[in-house]
């Protein structure tokens, strides 16, 4: 039974707090995120022998499906710890991935070096898709003018769209994702909408963009939920959910195996994401992305609550470093510092103040539920 929420209340188990407007707490002060992780999310997490067996079966399916082809799966490589660790594991499993990196214009030099080290060690074929910068710039500015928290959507959407387009072009049915429940099991949905929602992206750009997108390819609702999974039989798999994935241990292995160099901050592989998560969100919305990340590590047993609180006490940004990053951001987007400050102060909007595909998604889930009852089994797009 939920209790009355106190302003600035923090969960007694993790470090999620009332910066999530939809958070609730039980009689013990434990938040809904922790309870949902235990009751629902953890049922799809297999850091044990069962996971090892399940993954071995999936690996055999991937190899059988891709037999006789140049590649049997596709792997997106950002240079971050999750996708980098997955890349060396894929090599160990004997899979033959087409490795795709999407360069949206914000790569740090360290990210480029890490990607090169991994590709060289694994002897992978790397295809780098360089996004049309004028399209990206126009989308970034449109999202800043919209004043929503989803500033990373232009990057995230083209990343996933590129994977699907390359997979289709190369007749690849399995997409491997570094997404995982061990480090991302808790996330406040009120903070963001879906990065896949092309209706929302196009609506925001239509209202606030300055020119038509020339080369920026999106994925439609039909593509995402009907064409790719049901017609093309494509499947997105998250291998890290089938193993005891510990991020700190993964980083050590990367350092020892390929000479991987860690970033000073989470998502340090992207100059945009670094500023977005550590400055824009906290200053404009009061959202500290460290909270869900650290809370995920707590519920997955990788960190204690006390250790997380110490981490939260650390500064989000060194003042001198912040000024350097803002100057780079302004130069990259071709705006002045005054314009940057004005964009930081535009009125706040929620993503659903603009058209979304959520109505279609709810209808699809109802249909899916009916079909599942008729077939007597669950229909899954992701594993």
């Amino acid at each position: 039974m939920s209790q009355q929420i106190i302003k600035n209340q923090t969960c007694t188990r993790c470090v999620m707090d009332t910066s999530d407007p939809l958070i609730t707490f039980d009689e013990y002060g434990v938040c809904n995120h922790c309870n949902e992780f235990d009751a629902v999310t953890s049922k799809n997490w297999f850091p044990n022998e069962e996971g090892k067996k399940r993954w071995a079966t999936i690996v055999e399916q991937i190899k059988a499906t891709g037999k006789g082809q140049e590649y049997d799966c596709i792997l997106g490589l950002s240079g971050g710890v999750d996708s980098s660790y997955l890349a060396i594991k894929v090599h160990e499993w004997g899979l033959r991935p087409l490795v795709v990196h999407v360069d949206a214009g914000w790569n740090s030099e360290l990210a480029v070096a890490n990607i090169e080290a991994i590709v060289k060690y694994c002897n992978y074929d790397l295809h780098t898709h360089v996004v049309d910068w004028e399209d990206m710039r126009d989308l970034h500015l449109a999202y800043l003018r919209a004043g929503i928290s989803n500033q990373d959507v232009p990057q995230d959407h083209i990343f996933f769209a590129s994977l699907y387009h390359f997979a289709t072009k190369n007749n690849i049915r399995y997409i491997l994702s570094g997404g995982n429940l061990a480090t991302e099991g808790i996330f406040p949905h009120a903070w963001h909408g879906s990065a896949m929602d092309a209706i929302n992206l196009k609506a925001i750009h239509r209202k606030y963009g300055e020119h038509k997108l020339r080369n920026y390819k999106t994925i439609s609702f039909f593509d995402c939920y009907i064409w790719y999974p049901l017609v093309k039989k494509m499947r997105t798999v998250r291998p890290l959910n089938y193993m005891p994935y510990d991020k700190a241990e993964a980083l050590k292995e990367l350092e020892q195996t390929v000479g991987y160099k860690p970033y000073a901050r989470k998502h340090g592989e992207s100059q945009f994401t670094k500023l977005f998560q550590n400055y824009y969100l906290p200053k404009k919305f009061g959202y500290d992305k460290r909270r869900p990340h650290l809370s995920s590590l707590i519920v997955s047993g990788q960190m204690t609550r006390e250790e997380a609180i110490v981490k939260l006490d650390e500064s989000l940004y060194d003042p001198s470093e912040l000024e350097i990053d803002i100057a780079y951001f302004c130069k990259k987007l071709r705006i002045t510092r005054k314009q940057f400050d004005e964009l930081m102060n535009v009125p706040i909007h929620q993503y659903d103040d603009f058209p979304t595909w959520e109505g279609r998604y709810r209808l699809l889930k109802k249909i899916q539920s009916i079909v599942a009852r008729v077939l007597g089994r669950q229909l899954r797009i992701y594993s």
Side-chain angles (χ1 to χ4, degrees), residues 54-71:
R54 284 175 178 249
W55 180 241
T57 300
I58 295 173
V59 167
E60 290 308 311
Q61 291 172 348
I62 295 173
K63 289 180 177 179
T65 302
K67 190 174 182 180
Q69 297 181 180
E70 188 173 7
Y71 309 107

Side-chain angles (χ1 to χ4, degrees), residues 26 36 61 79 81 114 134 165 218 229 264 275 284 294 297 317:
D26 64 19
E36 183 178 345
Q61 291 172 348
V81 175
N114 281 334
E134 292 308 311
H165 290 314
T218 59
L275 187 69
K284 191 172 181 69
L294 294 172
L297 296 180
Y317 243 120

Side-chain angles (χ1 to χ4, degrees), residues 69-261:
Q69 297 181 180
E70 188 173 7
Y71 309 107
D72 53 22
C73 57
I74 193 166
L75 170 66
L77 183 59
S78 68
V81 175
D82 297 341
S83 66
S84 298
Y85 182 73
L86 178 56
I88 65 173
K89 293 292 115 178
V90 167
H91 179 63
E92 292 174 9
W93 295 323
L95 295 174
R96 297 175 289 107
L98 169 61
V99 178
V100 174
H101 173 68
V102 179
D103 181 357
W106 296 100
N107 282 350
S108 66
E109 291 183 6
L110 187 52
V112 174
N114 281 334
I115 290 170
E116 288 178 352
I118 291 161
V119 170
K120 183 178 179 181
Y121 173 81
C122 298
N123 194 29
Y124 284 149
D125 289 339
L126 174 68
H127 187 102
T128 298
H129 173 59
V130 180
V131 183
D132 185 311
W133 175 244
E134 292 308 311
D135 284 348
M136 280 301 301
R137 175 180 177 271
D138 202 41
L139 275 167
H140 280 310
L141 290 173
Y143 268 70
L144 286 166
R145 293 176 189 128
I148 65 171
S149 59
N150 296 59
Q151 294 297 317
D152 49 353
V153 165
Q155 280 194 117
D156 289 349
H157 189 94
I158 193 63
F159 174 77
F160 292 113
S162 297
L163 289 185
Y164 277 108
H165 290 314
F166 278 113
T168 303
K169 183 179 179 181
N170 290 276
N171 196 31
I172 298 171
R173 284 177 50 186
Y174 284 89
I175 297 174
L176 306 186
S177 167
N180 66 90
L181 298 176
T183 66
E184 303 167 344
I186 286 181
F187 188 81
H189 297 292
W191 286 10
H192 297 292
S194 171
M196 300 300 291
D197 192 338
I199 291 176
N200 196 236
L201 181 147
K202 289 179 179 179
I204 291 169
H205 181 258
R206 189 162 49 246
K207 183 166 184 178
Y208 294 105
E210 295 181 339
H211 66 72
K212 289 184 178 181
L213 299 178
R214 299 175 300 185
N215 300 302
Y216 187 97
K217 293 183 179 180
T218 59
I219 294 180
S220 70
F221 181 85
F222 177 79
D223 288 339
C224 187
Y225 293 105
I226 307 295
W227 181 253
Y228 290 132
L230 301 181
V231 179
K232 301 296 289 184
K233 306 294 184 183
M234 291 168 65
R235 188 174 167 195
T236 299
V237 187
R238 297 183 172 91
L240 300 183
N241 285 340
Y242 295 90
M243 64 180 71
Y245 180 57
D246 183 298
K247 196 149 193 167
E249 291 300 317
L251 178 56
K252 287 181 183 177
E253 186 173 339
L254 282 167
E255 290 174 319
Q256 294 168 359
T257 305
V258 301
Y260 186 92
K261 303 297 184 185

Side-chain angles (χ1 to χ4, degrees), residues 12-28:
T12 55
R13 180 181 171 192
C14 72
V15 289
M16 282 305 301
D17 66 0
T18 44
S19 59
D20 173 10
L22 300 181
I23 198 170
T24 58
F25 301 92
D26 64 19
E27 61 268 33
Y28 304 105

